[in-house]
Amino acid sequence: QAGTDRRKTAVEVRCENRPLASCTASALSGCTSALNCSLNGLCVAAECQCDAPWTGPRCGSIKVGLAKAGGAYGWSPNVSSWGGNPVRGDDNLYHLYVAEIPGGLRNWQAQSQCAHATASSVEGPYTRQGLVLGHECHNPSTLRHPKTGAYLMFHIGAGPKQGSTPTTDAGTSNFLHTATAAAGPWTAATTEPQSCNNPAPAYHPNGTLFVVCNHLDITVAVDDWEGEWTPLRSMGGPGSGSRQGNYEDPYLWFDVRGNFHVLYHVYCLDPYTAHNECDSGHAFSTDGYDWHFGEDEPFSGLVNFTDGTATRFSTRERPHLIFADRDRHIPMGVFTAVSNQPIGPGCDTCYLSTCSQCKITAGRDWTFTQFEPFANFNASAPGLQFRPEGALP
């Protein structure tokens, strides 16, 4: 009887305490390789042993913590913002490069601009310092060069040549602007891939710069960001065993074993009564060629706050991770763009009668940028300190 109890418990854990009838065959059979663990852990004795902060029978979900209420940017003072990510500056401040849209998100295609804000802690709130690029500039994704420390802001939209401090020099790019200081001035890159909507950049441990483009393509810089780019290579897409929905807003990173990972926003267009809200997805690969799309959502629309409240946002988009380690391998928190509309029957009167589109519904299109720590979050983690390659620890 004791042996039967132990086996039953193992099955229940593997199936996340779901009824056995709803468990998938892969969950019941256990793992055979790290691929069955979403490359977020190791397969040991047919059980996935997950790396922090991952959890679940396939290491496909993230164990989250409690967030500060009030948002990281755009809550107060009120301005619609649409995600971004901070990097640590040489001045010991955190510098957030974020899309903001005067008048509401429904105006993003004509009014979006890339702003610069700072905070003394990575969680924020962040205080606006000025523009990097005026409209049109959208969906910035910023990192620091691992050797030089230069600031690389990837984005869509070429922006105007004017703006408040910092200003850009002559020339435009709808892909990348760079600066040697957090406040600029910013210089337009002279090369770009053949097509790159919503670029998601990351440096491989071997120093190669990869960028995910158009959600499901990937390219490589031949000679770092100043050089040419390889032709786009398709990553494929989610199959029948993957989380279903529309994949967009990629965020690329590499784990401690050198595996490729992409965190996605996933959206669905079902009415609220279908109770099929979508929020996130995950793709992974050992080599950048053969991609797998997980069946679990890494995070949901629900955010729990330190003041005891909680909100299930109608959408959480533009995910950007922060990391516990200097080499950017271990995620410990996520910045997302959120719609202030909570999930509920009120979604039925939003555009397309679906919760995911309340973000662009007139009168409801105020959005802001929210930070959510993971269970392994540590405000003093080494990953929050920039250290150029080769520098002393």
Side-chain angles (χ1 to χ4, degrees), residues 271-308:
Y272 168 71
T273 52
H275 300 296
N276 182 38
E277 303 306 329
C278 304
D279 294 288
S280 62
H282 174 224
F284 47 94
S285 172
T286 60
D287 57 9
Y289 286 86
D290 184 19
W291 287 88
H292 305 261
F293 289 76
E295 57 185 293
D296 302 302
E297 280 202 329
F299 61 83
S300 73
L302 178 67
V303 177
N304 292 290
F305 297 104
T306 54
D307 63 4

Side-chain angles (χ1 to χ4, degrees), residues 126 130-131 237 305 323 387:
Y126 286 79
L131 287 181
F305 297 104
F323 297 88
R387 177 174 60 99

Side-chain angles (χ1 to χ4, degrees), residues 21-259:
S22 70
C23 286
T24 64
S26 62
L28 282 170
S29 62
C31 61
T32 58
S33 76
L35 285 170
N36 301 131
C37 307
S38 311
L39 295 181
N40 287 323
L42 298 175
C43 180
V44 179
E47 295 280 351
C48 287
Q49 294 186 356
C50 304
D51 303 328
W54 298 92
T55 188
R58 295 170 293 272
C59 303
S61 301
I62 295 172
K63 188 179 296 185
V64 298
L66 299 176
K68 286 184 179 180
Y73 188 79
W75 178 278
S76 179
N78 177 273
V79 60
S80 283
S81 69
W82 199 237
N85 66 291
V87 294
R88 188 69 173 264
D90 299 330
D91 55 4
N92 221 29
L93 294 175
Y94 297 93
H95 295 261
L96 177 70
Y97 302 93
V98 59
E100 62 178 28
I101 309 95
L105 185 64
R106 70 185 185 281
N107 300 317
W108 75 268
Q109 290 179 305
Q111 297 298 321
S112 186
Q113 53 195 19
C114 293
H116 170 219
T118 60
S120 58
S121 71
V122 71
E123 301 157 276
Y126 286 79
T127 301
R128 191 180 192 277
Q129 301 299 325
L131 287 181
V132 177
L133 279 178
H135 62 82
E136 176 70 12
C137 180
H138 196 58
N139 288 352
S141 187
T142 307
L143 50 76
R144 297 194 66 180
H145 192 281
K147 291 184 178 179
T148 68
Y151 296 79
L152 311 179
M153 189 187 78
F154 296 80
H155 58 88
I156 58 176
K161 296 179 182 179
Q162 79 279 357
S164 59
T165 302
T167 58
T168 60
D169 66 356
T172 61
S173 170
N174 60 5
F175 173 66
L176 170 64
H177 278 74
T178 70
T180 57
W186 296 83
T187 301
T190 58
T191 64
E192 60 187 62
Q194 64 200 75
S195 168
C196 197
N197 185 30
N198 290 353
Y203 279 93
H204 189 275
N206 67 13
T208 301
L209 175 60
F210 288 82
V211 179
V212 176
C213 299
N214 312 318
H215 316 307
L216 294 167
D217 297 324
I218 193 166
T219 183
V220 182
V222 175
D223 187 20
D224 214 335
W225 63 267
E226 297 173 293
E228 298 300 319
W229 297 83
T230 62
L232 295 175
R233 183 173 69 242
S234 174
M235 299 165 57
S240 59
S242 307
R243 178 66 173 104
Q244 294 303 296
N246 301 281
Y247 281 62
E248 65 171 7
D249 294 348
Y251 183 88
L252 173 67
W253 82 100
F254 300 93
D255 66 24
V256 294
R257 303 174 188 93
N259 297 311

